[in-house]
């Protein structure tokens, strides 16, 4: 019995020495087999238990088991040390992280669409639906139903492309007001983005085709303050939290009161000081708005005594020019790859 | 409208700061588009030439003695040739500041000159509109008067936009009225009482005949003792500042009244109108008119004219004719001040492309009472020049008093979202000239005669808001009730754009209106798009003559601009001719420009790329399976073109650009196109989940040797039918042609995956 303990201690000491000297996991495995394997040194000692008197055998077994557990701990520690060493080696790796990665194969969304999406998203969060409509419209939807009868001088302001005397390319997205209200009873809350056309000579500020987003909210208790709030909210979403909005009285036959809507010039932040974007006024015009005219509500069968509402139309290109500091509106339609790449 | 601030100030006290005035106007609904600032001028006074001598040492100079009132007379040498003793002229004294010089004492060829005589140009007036040389002033001006302040020569000119509803604001007085209401100050309106009370002698008394109800009022007045001579300085200078060239006193007074109070007038030489008989009527077909500016017009019944017994005198409300115009010998006038139905004037003005200051006002429909006011004002001005005014003759309906409009102060709050007391509403409306009776919450409002645009309560609410200031209305976010309107079409378009972005395509915009350059290139490639395209009736240029019949053509033109790889898309409408209308197809169009590669004729990698992308797009948009069959499309190579369908319904096309078109667009690279009809796409169906089978899947690959015209789709279909229920996947994955299968054969490899369901 007393002879067993020193023998095990001696084996353990040799194992410890050997384990300390080992530096890779294969050698360590060899060590495990040499000491603890099927014909390893400890196994040989364990076989010797059979030769002991039966009364001593349990104690001897326990001694051996304890010694094995100790030795396994030594081997595990060595294994952990070796594994860690391998990681430390991995940690020495260095690559040039500034080396350019290849470009992802993503395309891009046109800036005009991006702005439409931001506007739509802003209003969809408020509960608006977004609808699309035709670009060729009868004059009933573009003018008559919008309280612009034939010969009204305001028709001249919408210098339109005609297909026939009764059919034209819409000069604004407002026909969607009429179409939506005729199809749905109030309340109605829609956004209608789309292409519009006017006979403007093309230059750095004008295109004969452009995009507008129409907004329309008709329900009980809707007032001009809500219109101001909604467009201020939109303008802050598009240009930043400090944005202010200015409403100037104007005239549109389909709204009353009507307003031109300006927002703080995003370039000079409203200071105006020799600013090329706003011409020094500190404001940029984003569109027109107003309370839906009672004649329009009556035309679609709504009762102006019961419901009220507002409508606005904002120019997408105009917002894009201000937002991205684009020098020439024609760049939007030219869609040059470099232009799209810069604004993607 | 050009608005000289100096003129405005004659009717109303205004702040000095022009920017503040411009801001005020903008916030009243009259945007100021520009401000023309004048150079500083000072030290110029009214002088009179009392003596004139030849310069002793210079042939081209004269030496003038000039009285300038109290202080001693000045000696001034001048090179001007239009000077004469007795003339009243502007004199820049020593120290005066003119646009380009400051006047200092100087010797001119030995003569001490104590100032300078001024031309119009030196007073910042358009030189070409005034006499050459030294400007002539009224004799009646007190000597020594400061010319700059008397005529407001340094005051800026505002360019103001007047919205089409404001017939009343197309005048200096109209704007002054608005500013008076906004600033709460008094308006100094000129008298609009007619000085003529005695009826003209019978043979000269105007006889007016209204044969058209499109003339709502006609005021005619005989004036005697007029003289064609320059108008008083104040009128000439005001007109010049307002952008109207001064002509002579008569023409100038007519223009002055139009600009001042907004009523266009016409002055006839009374001797040229037989029996002073004027007729307002439709033109007879074929009738001709030579306008004052010598344009020959051929008229028909659509035109409203003013005629005398011999024929047409003028185009009503637009332009006068040459016959009755004022000439040098004119001594008696017949003044016409009339109002018309604006639409009639507008149509005629548009038809003859004759836009005049008069038509710009008349087409907004002027209030009938303005005709009386305008004629009265002209008669007063002529009277101050010594003319004799007889009583005006008025034809037309009596001017009805405006009916009171009922306005409840609660409806103001309801529409604007601010508290509005009946008194504050009454205050603003009265400032605009309305008569207002208040009874509790209820107001009865009678608009003034010049505001014919105020007809219902909402018009008054807008006036209240305008004067109260839109900035006083607080911003608040509305609580939007749930509505039933669907966003489905927009969502699909947005999703398509984002999927294509993820697939590597860039979105571009191209023009929806196209013309010769694009259609010509298509025609050269064998495509007659003109016959299917919708025509625009009034294009601005040939390049806008048609609505695009496809998006593909625009994308080809885009790709043709540069020779490089590209993957682009556009989402927009294509237009085609319908029975009696225009058909619009919302289209998603893709185009791919790749690199030329060596490949066998029966393979096309580019096609597979755009097919792959289009399938991915369609599958994600609809949640359904897509099928392709070979087909034809006008833009595509007949052998590399597939018609795409979903549930048996065609939704679009994909293929390689037709080589003829590639040639005509000079596209050297392989080009592939896809066009999808967004409205033909079925609704999205959400997938349902099937748990994995506990049975393993297995597959079998077969290589089939086939005739070359047997398509993969047929093989897949037959295999699916043959294998039956446990077939969970069939896919042709390889094609081989060559020696191993023989010349007129091909080999298709197909993988059949089998798995039992749970
Ligand atoms: Zn700015």
């Amino acid at each position: 019995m007393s002879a067993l303990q020193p023998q095990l201690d001696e084996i353990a000491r040799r194992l410890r020495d050997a384990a300390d000297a080992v530096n890779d996991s294969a050698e360590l495995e060899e060590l495990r087999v040499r000491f603890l394997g099927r014909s390893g040194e400890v196994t040989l000692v364990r076989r010797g238990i059979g030769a002991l008197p039966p009364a001593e055998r349990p104690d001897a077994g326990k001694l051996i088991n304890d010694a094995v557990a100790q030795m396994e701990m030594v081997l595990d520690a060595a294994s952990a040390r070796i594994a860690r060493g391998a990681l430390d080696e991995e940690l020495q790796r260095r690559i040039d992280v500034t080396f350019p990665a290849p470009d992802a194969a993503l395309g891009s969304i046109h800036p005009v669409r991006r702005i439409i999406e931001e506007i739509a998203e802003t209003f969809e969060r408020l509960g608006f639906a977004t609808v699309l409509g035709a670009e060729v419209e009868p004059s009933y939807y573009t003018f008559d139903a919008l309280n612009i009868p034939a010969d009204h001088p305001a028709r001249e302001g919408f210098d339109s492309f005609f297909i026939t005397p009764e059919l034209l390319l819409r000069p604004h997205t407002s026909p969607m007001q009429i179409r939506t209200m005729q199809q749905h009873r109030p309340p109605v809350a829609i956004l209608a983005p789309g292409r519009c056309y006017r006979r403007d000579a093309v230059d750095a500020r004008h295109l004969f085709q452009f995009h507008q987003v129409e907004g329309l909210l008709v329900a009980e208790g809707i007032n001009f303050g809500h219109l101001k709030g909604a467009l201020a909210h939109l303008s802050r979403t598009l240009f930043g939290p400090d944005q202010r909005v200015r409403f100037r009285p104007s005239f549109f036959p389909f709204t009353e009161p009507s307003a031109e809507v300006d927002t703080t010039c995003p370039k000079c932040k409203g200071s105006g000081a020799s600013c090329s974007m706003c011409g020094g006024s500190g404001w940029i015009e984003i569109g027109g708005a107003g309370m839906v005219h009672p004649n329009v509500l009556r035309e679609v069968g709504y009762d102006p005594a019961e419901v009220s509402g507002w409508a606005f139309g904002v120019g997408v290109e105009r917002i894009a020019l201000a937002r991205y500091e684009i020098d020439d509106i024609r760049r939007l339609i030219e869609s040059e790859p470099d232009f799209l790449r810069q604004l993607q | 409208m050009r608005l000289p601030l100096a003129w405005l100030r004659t009717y109303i006290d205004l702040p000095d700061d022009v920017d503040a005035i411009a801001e005020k106007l903008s916030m009243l609904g009259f945007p100021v588009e520009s401000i023309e600032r004048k150079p500083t001028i000072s030290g110029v006074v009214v002088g009179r030439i009392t003596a004139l001598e030849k310069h002793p040492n210079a042939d081209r100079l004269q030496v003038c003695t000039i009285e300038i009132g109290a202080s001693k007379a000045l000696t001034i040498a001048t090179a001007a040739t239009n000077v004469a003793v007795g003339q009243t002229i502007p004199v820049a004294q020593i120290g005066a500041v003119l646009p380009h010089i400051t006047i200092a004492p100087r010797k001119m060829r030995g003569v001490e000159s104590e100032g300078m005589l001024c031309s119009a140009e030196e007073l910042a007036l358009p030189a070409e509109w005034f006499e050459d040389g030294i400007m002539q002033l009224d004799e009646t001006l007190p000597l020594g008067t400061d010319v700059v302040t008397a005529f407001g020569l340094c005051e800026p000119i505002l360019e103001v936009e007047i919205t089409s509803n404001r017939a009343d604001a197309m005048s200096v007085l109209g704007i002054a009225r608005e500013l008076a209401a906004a600033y709460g100050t008094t308006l100094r309106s000129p008298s609009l009482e007619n000085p003529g009370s005695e009826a003209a002698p019978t043979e000269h008394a105007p006889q007016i005949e209204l044969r058209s109800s499109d003339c709502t009022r006609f005021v005619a007045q005989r004036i005697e003792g007029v003289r064609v001579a320059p108008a008083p300085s104040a009128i000439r200078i005001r007109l010049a500042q307002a952008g109207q060239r001064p002509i002579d006193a008569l023409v100038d007074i007519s223009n002055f009244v139009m600009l001042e109070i907004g009523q266009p007038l016409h002055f006839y030489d009374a001797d040229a109108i037989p029996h002073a008989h004027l007729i307002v009527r439709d033109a007879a077909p074929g009738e001709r008119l030579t306008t004052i500016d010598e344009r020959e017009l051929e008229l028909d019944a659509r035109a409203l004219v003013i005629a005398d017994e011999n024929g047409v005198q003028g185009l009503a409300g637009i332009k006068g004719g040459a016959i009755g115009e004022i000439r040098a010998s004119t001594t008696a006038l017949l003044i016409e001040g009339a109002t018309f139905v604006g639409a009639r004037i507008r149509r005629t003005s548009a038809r003859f492309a004759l836009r005049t200051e008069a038509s710009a006002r008349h087409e907004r429909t002027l209030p009938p009472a303005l005709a009386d006011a305008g004629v009265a004002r002209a008669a007063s001005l002529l009277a101050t020049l010594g003319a004799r005014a007889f009583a005006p003759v008025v034809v037309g309906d009596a001017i009805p008093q405006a009916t009171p409009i009922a306005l409840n102060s609660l409806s103001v709050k309801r529409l604007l979202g601010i508290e509005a007391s009946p008194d504050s509403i009454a205050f603003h409306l009265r400032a605009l000239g309305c008569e207002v009776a208040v009874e509790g919450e209820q107001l009865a409002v009678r608009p003034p005669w010049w505001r014919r645009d105020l007809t219902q309560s909402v018009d008054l609410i807008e006036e209240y808001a305008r004067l109260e200031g839109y900035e006083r209305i607080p911003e608040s976010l509305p609580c939007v009730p749930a509505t039933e309107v669907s966003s489905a079409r927009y969502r699909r378009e947005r999703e398509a754009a984002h999927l294509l972005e993820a697939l590597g395509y860039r979105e571009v915009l191209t023009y929806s209106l196209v013309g010769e350059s694009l259609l010509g290139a298509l025609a050269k490639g064998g495509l007659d798009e003109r016959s299917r395209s919708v025509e625009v009736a009034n294009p601005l240029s040939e390049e806008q003559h048609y609505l695009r019949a496809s998006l593909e053509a625009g994308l080809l033109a885009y790709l043709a601009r540069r020779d490089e790889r590209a993957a682009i898309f556009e989402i927009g409408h294509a237009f085609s001719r319908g029975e009696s209308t225009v058909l619009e197809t919302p289209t998603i169009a893709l185009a791919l420009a790749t690199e030329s590669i060596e490949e066998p004729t029966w393979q096309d990698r580019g096609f597979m790329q755009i097919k792959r992308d289009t399938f991915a797009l369609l599958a994600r948009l609809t949640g359904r399976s897509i099928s392709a069959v070979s087909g034809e499309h006008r833009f595509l190579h007949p052998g590399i073109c597939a018609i795409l369908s979903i549930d048996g319904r065609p939704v679009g096309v994909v293929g390689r650009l037709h080589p003829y078109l590639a040639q005509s667009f000079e596209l050297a690279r392989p080009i592939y196109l896809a066009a999808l009809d967004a409205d033909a796409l079925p609704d999205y169906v959400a997938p349902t989940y099937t748990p994995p089978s506990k049975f393993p899947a297995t597959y079998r690959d077969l290589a089939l040797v086939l005739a070359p015209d047997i398509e993969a789709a047929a093989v897949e279909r037959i295999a699916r039918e043959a294998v039956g229920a446990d077939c969970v996947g069939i896919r042709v994955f390889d094609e081989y042609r060559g020696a191993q299968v023989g010349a007129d054969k091909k080999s298709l490899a197909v993988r059949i995956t089998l798995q039992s369901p749970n």
Side-chain angles (χ1 to χ4, degrees), chain B residues 393-671:
Chain B
V393 171
V394 179
V395 186
D397 298 334
I399 291 167
Q401 232 201 347
T403 347
I405 302 165
L407 175 65
N408 191 303
S409 65
L410 296 177
S411 67
V412 179
K413 183 185 175 191
R414 173 175 170 262
L415 208 61
L416 299 182
I418 43 168
E419 293 295 337
S421 73
D423 284 343
S424 69
I425 299 167
F427 174 80
H428 286 316
L429 294 179
R430 283 183 186 131
L432 289 168
C434 298
E435 284 173 33
V436 186
V438 182
E439 213 181 298
E441 303 289 355
Q442 199 63 37
L443 292 87
V445 182
R446 200 193 296 274
W449 61 261
W450 60 86
R451 290 301 303 274
R452 305 235 309 168
D453 57 315
L454 306 181
T455 60
Q456 46 181 308
S457 58
V458 68
D459 301 331
L460 303 174
I461 296 175
E462 179 173 60
E463 292 307 283
Y464 170 77
R466 215 162 53 84
L467 283 191
E468 186 69 17
Y470 282 9
E471 68 278 8
R472 278 257 297 109
I473 300 171
E475 295 168 2
S476 66
L477 268 186
C479 197
V480 179
T483 75
E484 54 182 27
V485 186
S486 154
S487 303
R489 288 183 68 202
Y490 167 73
R491 293 230 168 107
R492 164 162 291 168
E493 200 180 271
R494 183 184 61 187
E495 194 180 353
H498 285 270
L499 286 167
L500 287 168
E501 178 189 33
L503 288 166
Y505 291 75
R506 285 197 189 280
E507 185 176 22
V508 301
L509 293 178
T510 68
Y511 285 116
S512 303
L513 297 181
V514 298
E516 250 353 90
S517 57
L518 189 63
L519 295 182
L522 292 170
K524 222 173 99 198
L527 241 191
D528 173 22
E529 287 288 274
R530 219 171 270 126
S531 62
R532 70 170 70 221
S533 298
V534 178
E535 262 187 86
V536 175
N538 58 340
L540 273 177
S541 80
E542 272 311 302
E543 290 304 309
Q544 304 170 340
H545 209 103
Y546 297 93
L547 301 189
R548 61 176 173 189
S550 75
L551 273 61
E552 295 93 305
L555 297 184
L556 290 181
Y558 178 92
L559 293 176
R561 296 213 297 260
R562 59 195 77 69
D563 180 25
E564 57 187 38
R565 293 178 70 110
I568 56 172
F569 74 101
E570 182 175 17
I571 301 179
H573 292 197
F575 304 85
S576 57
R577 291 187 196 164
E579 196 82 350
S580 62
T581 176
V582 173
L583 303 177
E584 283 182 52
T585 312
T587 304
I588 304 167
L590 288 64
L592 201 57
T594 62
E595 301 288 348
S596 296
I597 48 167
E598 286 292 327
E599 57 188 346
T601 57
W602 49 271
Q603 269 183 351
D604 196 313
R605 214 186 289 171
F607 173 81
M608 287 304 159
Q609 186 185 339
I610 197 164
K611 181 185 172 188
R612 171 198 77 189
D613 295 339
T614 310
F615 267 55
L617 172 69
L618 286 171
R620 284 297 176 92
L621 288 180
T622 64
R624 297 169 196 250
S625 64
I626 325 299
S627 65
V629 294
S630 65
E632 288 195 10
H633 183 264
R634 62 192 200 278
F635 278 92
L636 301 177
H637 188 305
I640 311 175
C641 167
I643 309 294
L644 307 178
S645 326
I646 298 176
D647 302 338
R649 185 175 176 200
V651 296
V653 66
V654 58
R656 181 168 180 156
L657 178 63
H658 196 292
Y660 292 174
L661 288 171
Q663 187 189 41
S664 72
F665 278 87
E666 294 175 25
L667 286 158
R669 297 169 174 273
I671 304 289

Side-chain angles (χ1 to χ4, degrees), chain A residues 105-110 112-114 116-117 120 124 126-136 151-156 160-163 167 169 180 183-185 187-190 193 195 197 199-202 207-209 211 217 219 222-230 232-233 236 245-251 256-259 291 293-295 298 304-308 310 332-337 340-341 344, chain B residues 23 26-31 161 163-165 342-344 346-347 350 355 363-364 413-418 453 456 458-462 465-466 470-491 493-494 497-498 500-513 534-540 543-544 547-548 558 561-562 564 569-573 575 580-582 584:
Chain A
L106 272 177
S108 59
I109 300 283
H110 197 279
V112 162
R113 178 180 301 282
R114 197 174 292 279
I116 290 174
E117 285 185 0
E124 284 181 354
L126 294 175
F128 284 63
T130 306
V131 297
L132 301 178
E135 293 172 13
V136 174
D151 287 321
H152 194 290
R155 278 204 188 191
E156 212 158 88
S160 306
F161 290 107
F162 281 85
I163 310 301
L167 214 52
L169 282 164
T180 309
Q183 281 162 22
H184 301 276
R185 299 303 306 157
V188 157
I190 56 149
R195 263 184 207 203
Y197 304 82
R199 293 173 77 243
D200 279 333
V202 173
L207 288 175
F208 61 80
Q209 77 179 39
H211 294 76
L217 171 61
I222 297 301
N223 64 44
F224 199 87
H226 297 135
L227 172 61
K228 287 187 71 177
H233 176 62
R236 282 169 204 137
V245 167
R246 178 174 81 163
F247 279 59
R248 284 182 288 111
S250 189
F251 170 70
E256 189 165 19
S258 299
M291 301 303 292
H293 198 285
N295 292 358
R298 279 189 283 264
E306 275 177 20
V307 292
S308 53
W310 47 247
L332 288 164
I333 191 130
E334 282 160 5
S335 303
E336 291 290 335
L340 298 178
R341 203 172 291 122
Q344 69 196 6
Chain B
E23 171 81 6
S26 288
M27 296 313 280
L28 279 170
F30 301 99
E161 191 190 322
T163 50
S164 62
N165 58 326
R344 181 83 186 262
R346 185 167 164 270
R347 277 198 300 265
R355 285 272 303 173
E363 69 179 31
R364 295 172 191 225
K413 183 185 175 191
R414 173 175 170 262
L415 208 61
L416 299 182
I418 43 168
D453 57 315
Q456 46 181 308
V458 68
D459 301 331
L460 303 174
I461 296 175
E462 179 173 60
R466 215 162 53 84
Y470 282 9
E471 68 278 8
R472 278 257 297 109
I473 300 171
E475 295 168 2
S476 66
L477 268 186
C479 197
V480 179
T483 75
E484 54 182 27
V485 186
S486 154
S487 303
R489 288 183 68 202
Y490 167 73
R491 293 230 168 107
E493 200 180 271
R494 183 184 61 187
H498 285 270
L500 287 168
E501 178 189 33
L503 288 166
Y505 291 75
R506 285 197 189 280
E507 185 176 22
V508 301
L509 293 178
T510 68
Y511 285 116
S512 303
L513 297 181
V534 178
E535 262 187 86
V536 175
N538 58 340
L540 273 177
E543 290 304 309
Q544 304 170 340
L547 301 189
R548 61 176 173 189
Y558 178 92
R561 296 213 297 260
R562 59 195 77 69
E564 57 187 38
F569 74 101
E570 182 175 17
I571 301 179
H573 292 197
F575 304 85
S580 62
T581 176
V582 173
E584 283 182 52

